[in-house]
Each structure stands twice: as C-alpha cells, then as structure tokens.
Amino acid sequence: LDLTINYSNTSLTTVTECDEFTWNGTTYTSSVLFDTTLTNAAGCDSVATLDLTINYSNTSLTTVTECDEFTWNGTTYTASGTTTYTTTNAAGCDSVATLDLTINYSNTSLTTVTECDEFTWNGVTYTTSGSYDETFTNAAGCDSVATLDLTINYSNTSLTTVIECDSYDWNGVTYTSSVLFDTTLTNAAGCDSVATLDLTIN
C-alpha cells in the first residue's frame, strides 16, 4: 500500500470593525460567525471561519437659534451656518455631530438730545443731564439697546420790585401806573428766562 494522506485545514479570522467589513468578496454590515469551505493546495477542504463584530458609527443634529454668538464643543460661532464635529463614540466608531446654527443679532441706537428743563423718553421724564439706556427686544428676538445722551439746560426767573414816582422805564417800555408784569426772554442756554416786574407807581 503506497498511501498519501493530505490534510484539510481550518482558519479563524476574528475582526471588530465599524459599520461594515468585506471578506472574500462579501460585505457584511452586522455581526456574524460564518464558515466558508474552500479547497486548499492539497485538494482538501479548507474551512475558513469569520468571527465578525460590527460596531456602528452614529450621527446627531443640534438645531440652535441664538443671539450674537454660540459656543459649541469649545468653539464660539458668531455667524449662521452648518458645522460638523467628529469624535469617537463608546464603541470606538465615528460619532459625527452636526450643528445647524442660526445667529440673530442685537442692535444699538443712540439718541442725542438737548432740551430745556425736562425731556420725556419712552414714558420716563428726565430733569437732569446724563446717559440713559433702555433695553428692548428687536424683531429677531435679541436685545435692542437704546441710549439717550441727554443735555438738560434750565430756564430761569427773576423778580424786580420797584416803587417809583409818576413813571418807570423797564426793558424799553415806560409805565405810568402800578403793574405786576411778566416778560419772557431767552437765556444764554437757549431756554426761557421769565422776568417779572412788580411795579408800584406813586
């Protein structure tokens, strides 16, 4: 007996992959324990086993509307747009996070006013000079800061009391009888200056 024994053989391929894995021309997208039988060089069975674990990537979408700026994953954004951030999830696969960001903007306005004695702005009456801020919400839902730069000048009054015989000249007018009389002028600040004459003519 002239006997030749050839031997079958086996192989085990253990793989952990993200999302998919191609083996012997076939693409797998889920975990599997799979045998395929081929013929080895000696003409005997060659049983190849694939022990495949598929882990999965994941994605997320964050939609944000914010005023002026928004900080996401350590980066501050000041303009609208779509941004992706890729990290590794617990399974060791990609985790792609997408930010869909809308930035609306605050706005400011400045009103400069010079007025006499008092000024009413947004329902509030001011009697002293100063810079005053009022915060509203604009059409985009963000702050609208209105600033009033106010200068208040003041009116003034004066009283002149005179007792005179027969007649008295005051501001170019001659009076011949007693009178209590007001005249309104403009002072150096551009406001009313009310001068009162309390005149007694004997």
Side-chain angles (χ1 to χ4, degrees), residues 4-156:
T4 301
I5 295 291
N6 292 325
Y7 298 98
S8 299
N9 65 291
T10 61
S11 65
L12 173 64
T13 302
T14 302
V15 175
T16 299
E17 194 58 65
C18 291
D19 300 321
E20 64 179 32
F21 180 70
T22 299
W23 187 66
N24 291 325
T26 301
T27 299
Y28 299 90
T29 57
S30 59
S31 298
V32 69
L33 181 63
F34 181 76
D35 292 332
T36 186
T37 302
L38 308 170
T39 301
N40 63 17
C44 299
D45 286 346
S46 173
V47 180
T49 300
L50 172 64
D51 182 4
L52 175 62
T53 301
I54 292 289
N55 295 322
Y56 298 98
S57 301
N58 64 289
T59 61
S60 64
L61 173 64
T62 302
T63 302
V64 175
T65 299
E66 194 58 65
C67 291
D68 301 320
E69 64 179 32
F70 180 69
T71 298
W72 186 65
N73 291 319
T75 301
T76 299
Y77 300 89
T78 58
S80 300
T82 301
T83 303
T84 58
Y85 178 79
T86 302
T87 185
T88 302
N89 63 19
C93 298
D94 285 346
S95 174
V96 181
T98 300
L99 172 66
D100 182 8
L101 177 63
T102 300
I103 292 289
N104 294 322
Y105 297 99
S106 301
N107 63 291
T108 61
S109 64
L110 173 64
T111 302
T112 302
V113 174
T114 300
E115 195 58 65
C116 291
D117 300 321
E118 64 180 32
F119 181 70
T120 299
W121 186 64
N122 293 321
V124 178
T125 299
Y126 299 90
T127 58
T128 57
S129 299
S131 181
Y132 303 95
D133 290 331
E134 190 79 24
T135 301
F136 306 96
T137 301
N138 64 20
C142 299
D143 285 345
S144 174
V145 180
T147 299
L148 172 66
D149 183 7
L150 178 62
T151 301
I152 293 289
N153 294 323
Y154 297 99
S155 300
N156 63 291

Side-chain angles (χ1 to χ4, degrees), residues 166-196:
D166 301 322
S167 66
Y168 181 70
D169 288 331
W170 188 64
N171 290 326
V173 178
T174 300
Y175 298 91
T176 58
S177 60
S178 298
V179 69
L180 182 63
F181 180 76
D182 291 332
T183 186
T184 302
L185 309 170
T186 301
N187 63 18
C191 298
D192 286 346
S193 174
V194 180
T196 300

